Amino acid sequence: MANEYQKERQRTAIQFGRTVIGIVFAVLLVVFNAACSGISYDTTPKVADDEIALHIKLDIKEDIGLLVVDYEANGTSGSGGTSNADKSLLKHGELIIYTLSKQDFDDPADAENLTVKFTVITEYADPNF
């Protein structure tokens, strides 16, 4: 009889332990979901109000080393470019986002008459801007 009592007590303790673990797991799941709901998985870069974002997708068959961007607007001109910091090639289907600041122009309204010229360099070269 004492043996049965001990077995019943052990079963009750095991069941209680499982219940506590289940409740703790459920609370952790709720907390994790609440924390993750505030995380944005949007990978689109954010552009500041004083920037112009050029979304560039080149129709080429090869990967490239460097994309040089020359721009001109009502007498204001400049040059820049983009490449991978690790000197790896830019993938041919990759979306390249290049930003120009409105401060680059004498008058921000000049950005409305913007002319952009792209030069594709197929092998990586150290930029000389």
Side-chain angles (χ1 to χ4, degrees):
M1 191 151 164
N3 211 5
E4 282 182 36
Y5 175 73
Q6 287 177 341
K7 286 182 182 178
E8 183 62 33
R9 216 170 141 196
Q10 187 178 19
R11 273 184 268 190
T12 304
I14 290 172
Q15 183 150 358
F16 178 74
R18 288 180 182 162
T19 303
V20 168
I21 289 172
I23 290 171
V24 168
F25 180 74
V27 169
L28 288 175
L29 189 61
V30 168
V31 170
F32 178 75
N33 282 336
C36 288
S37 66
I39 297 173
S40 174
Y41 295 101
D42 184 15
T43 58
T44 305
K46 304 296 180 216
V47 179
D49 290 338
D50 67 338
E51 290 182 326
I52 301 167
L54 303 175
H55 293 248
I56 306 163
K57 190 153 190 171
L58 301 173
D59 185 18
I60 56 177
K61 294 180 181 171
E62 305 177 8
D63 295 344
I64 63 171
L66 178 64
L67 178 67
V68 178
V69 180
D70 296 303
Y71 60 91
E72 193 272 326
N74 290 340
T76 303
S77 63
S79 183
T82 188
S83 63
N84 285 331
D86 64 358
K87 299 183 180 182
S88 63
L89 296 177
L90 297 167
K91 302 297 179 206
H92 64 274
E94 184 175 348
L95 177 65
I96 300 168
I97 299 176
Y98 187 81
T99 58
L100 296 170
S101 173
K102 290 184 182 177
Q103 295 174 355
D104 294 337
F105 304 98
D106 293 332
D107 180 6
D110 289 345
E112 293 177 13
N113 298 318
L114 180 65
T115 302
V116 180
K117 180 181 115 182
F118 299 104
T119 304
V120 174
I121 300 181
T122 55
E123 299 213 8
Y124 182 84
D126 285 322
N128 186 16
F129 301 121

Coordinates of all heavy atoms in Angstrom, one line a residue, residues 43-45 47 52-60 62-69 80-84 88-100 116 118-121:
T43 N 13.9 44.4 -46.3 CA 15.3 44.6 -46.6 C 15.5 45.8 -47.6 O 16.6 46.0 -48.0 CB 15.9 43.3 -47.3 OG1 15.1 43.0 -48.5 CG2 15.9 42.1 -46.3
T44 N 14.5 46.5 -47.9 CA 14.6 47.6 -48.7 C 15.3 48.7 -48.0 O 14.8 49.1 -46.9 CB 13.2 48.1 -49.2 OG1 12.5 47.0 -49.8 CG2 13.3 49.3 -50.2
P45 N 16.4 49.3 -48.5 CA 17.1 50.3 -47.7 C 16.2 51.6 -47.6 O 15.4 51.9 -48.5 CB 18.3 50.6 -48.6 CG 18.4 49.5 -49.5 CD 17.1 48.9 -49.7
V47 N 15.7 55.5 -47.5 CA 16.4 56.7 -48.1 C 15.9 57.9 -47.3 O 14.7 58.1 -47.0 CB 16.0 56.8 -49.6 CG1 16.6 58.0 -50.2 CG2 16.4 55.6 -50.3
I52 N 18.2 61.1 -53.2 CA 17.5 60.6 -54.3 C 18.1 59.1 -54.5 O 19.3 59.0 -54.5 CB 17.9 61.4 -55.6 CG1 17.4 62.8 -55.5 CG2 17.3 60.7 -56.8 CD1 18.0 63.7 -56.5
A53 N 17.2 58.2 -54.5 CA 17.7 56.8 -54.6 C 17.5 56.3 -56.1 O 16.4 56.4 -56.6 CB 16.9 55.9 -53.7
L54 N 18.6 55.8 -56.6 CA 18.5 55.2 -58.0 C 18.5 53.7 -57.8 O 19.4 53.2 -57.2 CB 19.8 55.6 -58.8 CG 20.0 57.1 -59.0 CD1 21.3 57.3 -59.7 CD2 18.9 57.8 -59.8
H55 N 17.4 53.1 -58.2 CA 17.3 51.6 -58.2 C 17.8 51.1 -59.5 O 17.1 51.3 -60.5 CB 15.9 51.2 -57.9 CG 15.5 51.6 -56.5 ND1 15.2 50.7 -55.5 CD2 15.3 52.8 -55.9 CE1 14.9 51.3 -54.4 NE2 14.9 52.6 -54.6
I56 N 18.9 50.4 -59.6 CA 19.6 50.1 -60.8 C 19.6 48.5 -60.9 O 20.1 47.9 -60.1 CB 21.0 50.6 -60.9 CG1 21.0 52.1 -60.6 CG2 21.7 50.2 -62.2 CD1 22.4 52.6 -60.2
K57 N 19.0 48.0 -62.0 CA 19.1 46.6 -62.3 C 19.6 46.5 -63.8 O 18.9 46.9 -64.7 CB 17.8 45.9 -62.2 CG 17.9 44.4 -62.2 CD 16.8 43.8 -61.5 CE 17.1 42.3 -61.4 NZ 16.2 41.6 -60.5
L58 N 20.8 46.0 -63.9 CA 21.4 46.0 -65.2 C 21.0 44.7 -66.0 O 21.0 43.6 -65.4 CB 23.0 46.0 -65.1 CG 23.5 47.3 -64.4 CD1 25.0 47.1 -64.1 CD2 23.2 48.5 -65.2
D59 N 20.8 44.9 -67.3 CA 20.4 43.8 -68.1 C 21.7 43.3 -68.8 O 21.9 43.6 -70.0 CB 19.4 44.2 -69.2 CG 18.8 43.1 -70.0 OD1 19.0 41.9 -69.6 OD2 18.3 43.3 -71.1
I60 N 22.5 42.6 -68.1 CA 23.8 42.0 -68.6 C 23.9 40.6 -68.2 O 23.2 40.1 -67.3 CB 25.0 42.8 -68.0 CG1 24.9 42.8 -66.5 CG2 25.0 44.3 -68.5 CD1 26.1 43.5 -65.8
E62 N 26.9 39.0 -67.4 CA 28.0 38.7 -66.5 C 28.0 39.5 -65.2 O 27.3 40.5 -65.2 CB 29.4 39.2 -67.2 CG 29.6 38.6 -68.6 CD 30.9 39.2 -69.1 OE1 31.7 39.9 -68.4 OE2 31.2 38.9 -70.3
D63 N 28.7 39.0 -64.2 CA 28.8 39.8 -63.0 C 29.8 41.0 -63.4 O 30.6 40.9 -64.3 CB 29.4 38.9 -61.9 CG 28.4 37.9 -61.5 OD1 27.2 38.0 -61.8 OD2 28.9 36.9 -60.8
I64 N 29.8 42.0 -62.6 CA 30.6 43.2 -62.9 C 31.4 43.5 -61.6 O 31.1 43.2 -60.5 CB 29.8 44.4 -63.3 CG1 28.9 44.9 -62.2 CG2 29.1 44.1 -64.6 CD1 28.2 46.2 -62.5
G65 N 32.5 44.2 -61.9 CA 33.4 44.6 -60.8 C 33.1 46.0 -60.2 O 33.2 46.2 -59.0
L66 N 32.6 46.9 -61.0 CA 32.5 48.3 -60.6 C 31.4 48.9 -61.5 O 31.4 48.7 -62.7 CB 33.8 49.0 -60.7 CG 33.9 50.5 -60.3 CD1 33.5 50.7 -58.8 CD2 35.2 51.0 -60.6
L67 N 30.6 49.7 -60.9 CA 29.6 50.5 -61.6 C 29.9 52.0 -61.3 O 29.8 52.4 -60.1 CB 28.2 50.2 -61.2 CG 27.1 51.0 -61.9 CD1 27.0 50.7 -63.4 CD2 25.7 50.8 -61.2
V68 N 30.3 52.7 -62.3 CA 30.6 54.1 -62.2 C 29.4 54.9 -62.6 O 28.8 54.7 -63.6 CB 31.8 54.5 -63.0 CG1 32.1 56.0 -62.9 CG2 33.1 53.7 -62.7
V69 N 29.1 55.9 -61.7 CA 27.9 56.8 -62.0 C 28.3 58.2 -62.1 O 28.9 58.8 -61.2 CB 26.9 56.7 -60.8 CG1 25.7 57.5 -61.0 CG2 26.5 55.2 -60.5
G80 N 30.6 59.1 -59.0 CA 30.7 58.2 -57.9 C 30.7 56.8 -58.5 O 30.8 56.6 -59.7
G81 N 30.4 55.9 -57.6 CA 30.3 54.5 -58.1 C 30.0 53.6 -57.0 O 29.9 54.0 -55.8
T82 N 29.9 52.3 -57.3 CA 29.6 51.3 -56.3 C 30.3 50.0 -56.7 O 30.4 49.7 -57.8 CB 28.1 51.1 -56.1 OG1 27.8 50.2 -55.0 CG2 27.4 50.5 -57.4
S83 N 30.8 49.3 -55.6 CA 31.4 48.0 -55.8 C 31.3 47.3 -54.4 O 30.9 47.9 -53.4 CB 32.9 48.2 -56.2 OG 33.6 48.8 -55.2
N84 N 31.6 46.1 -54.4 CA 31.6 45.4 -53.1 C 32.9 45.6 -52.4 O 34.0 45.6 -52.9 CB 31.5 43.9 -53.3 CG 30.0 43.5 -53.7 OD1 29.1 44.2 -53.3 ND2 29.9 42.4 -54.5
S88 N 34.6 41.4 -54.3 CA 33.9 40.4 -55.0 C 33.0 41.1 -56.1 O 32.8 42.3 -56.0 CB 33.0 39.6 -54.1 OG 32.0 40.4 -53.5
L89 N 32.6 40.4 -57.1 CA 31.9 41.0 -58.2 C 30.4 41.2 -57.8 O 29.9 40.5 -57.0 CB 31.9 40.0 -59.4 CG 33.3 39.8 -60.0 CD1 33.2 38.7 -61.2 CD2 33.9 41.1 -60.5
L90 N 29.9 42.3 -58.4 CA 28.4 42.5 -58.2 C 27.7 41.5 -59.1 O 28.0 41.4 -60.3 CB 28.1 44.0 -58.6 CG 28.7 45.1 -57.8 CD1 28.6 46.4 -58.5 CD2 28.1 45.2 -56.5
K91 N 26.7 40.9 -58.6 CA 26.0 39.9 -59.3 C 25.2 40.5 -60.4 O 24.6 41.6 -60.2 CB 25.1 39.0 -58.4 CG 25.8 38.3 -57.3 CD 26.8 37.3 -57.9 CE 27.6 36.7 -56.7 NZ 28.8 36.2 -57.1
H92 N 25.1 39.9 -61.6 CA 24.5 40.5 -62.8 C 23.0 40.8 -62.6 O 22.4 41.7 -63.2 CB 24.7 39.7 -64.0 CG 24.1 38.3 -64.0 ND1 24.8 37.3 -63.4 CD2 22.9 37.9 -64.4 CE1 24.0 36.2 -63.5 NE2 22.9 36.5 -64.1
G93 N 22.3 40.0 -61.7 CA 20.9 40.2 -61.5 C 20.6 41.0 -60.3 O 19.4 41.2 -59.9
E94 N 21.6 41.5 -59.6 CA 21.5 42.2 -58.3 C 20.9 43.6 -58.5 O 21.2 44.3 -59.4 CB 22.9 42.3 -57.7 CG 22.9 42.8 -56.3 CD 24.3 42.8 -55.7 OE1 25.2 42.1 -56.3 OE2 24.5 43.4 -54.7
L95 N 20.0 43.9 -57.5 CA 19.5 45.3 -57.5 C 20.5 46.2 -56.8 O 20.9 45.9 -55.7 CB 18.1 45.3 -56.8 CG 17.5 46.7 -56.6 CD1 17.1 47.3 -58.0 CD2 16.3 46.7 -55.7
I96 N 21.0 47.2 -57.5 CA 21.9 48.1 -57.0 C 21.2 49.4 -56.6 O 20.5 50.0 -57.4 CB 23.1 48.4 -58.0 CG1 23.8 47.1 -58.4 CG2 24.0 49.4 -57.5 CD1 24.7 47.2 -59.6
I97 N 21.4 49.9 -55.4 CA 20.8 51.1 -55.0 C 21.9 52.1 -54.7 O 22.7 51.9 -53.9 CB 19.9 50.9 -53.7 CG1 18.8 49.9 -54.1 CG2 19.3 52.2 -53.3 CD1 17.9 49.5 -52.9
Y98 N 21.8 53.2 -55.5 CA 22.8 54.2 -55.4 C 22.1 55.5 -55.0 O 21.1 55.8 -55.6 CB 23.5 54.4 -56.8 CG 24.7 55.3 -56.8 CD1 25.9 55.0 -56.3 CD2 24.5 56.7 -57.2 CE1 27.0 55.8 -56.2 CE2 25.6 57.6 -57.1 CZ 26.8 57.1 -56.7 OH 27.9 58.0 -56.6
T99 N 22.6 56.2 -54.1 CA 21.9 57.4 -53.6 C 22.7 58.7 -53.9 O 24.0 58.7 -53.8 CB 21.7 57.4 -52.1 OG1 22.9 57.2 -51.4 CG2 20.7 56.3 -51.7
L100 N 22.0 59.7 -54.3 CA 22.6 61.0 -54.5 C 21.9 61.9 -53.4 O 20.7 61.8 -53.2 CB 22.3 61.6 -55.9 CG 22.8 60.8 -57.0 CD1 22.2 61.3 -58.3 CD2 24.4 60.9 -57.1
V116 N 22.0 61.0 -65.9 CA 22.9 60.0 -65.3 C 23.5 59.2 -66.4 O 22.8 58.7 -67.3 CB 22.1 59.2 -64.3 CG1 23.0 58.2 -63.6 CG2 21.4 60.0 -63.2
F118 N 26.0 55.7 -66.8 CA 26.6 54.6 -66.1 C 27.7 54.0 -67.0 O 27.6 53.9 -68.2 CB 25.6 53.5 -65.9 CG 24.4 53.9 -65.1 CD1 23.2 54.2 -65.7 CD2 24.5 54.1 -63.7 CE1 22.1 54.6 -64.9 CE2 23.4 54.5 -63.0 CZ 22.2 54.8 -63.6
T119 N 28.8 53.7 -66.3 CA 29.9 53.0 -66.9 C 30.1 51.7 -66.2 O 30.3 51.7 -64.9 CB 31.2 53.8 -66.9 OG1 31.0 55.0 -67.5 CG2 32.3 53.1 -67.6
V120 N 30.1 50.5 -66.9 CA 30.2 49.2 -66.3 C 31.6 48.8 -66.5 O 32.1 48.7 -67.6 CB 29.2 48.2 -66.9 CG1 29.5 46.8 -66.3 CG2 27.8 48.7 -66.6
I121 N 32.3 48.4 -65.4 CA 33.7 47.9 -65.5 C 33.5 46.4 -65.1 O 33.1 46.1 -64.0 CB 34.6 48.6 -64.6 CG1 34.6 50.1 -65.1 CG2 36.0 48.0 -64.6 CD1 35.5 51.0 -64.4

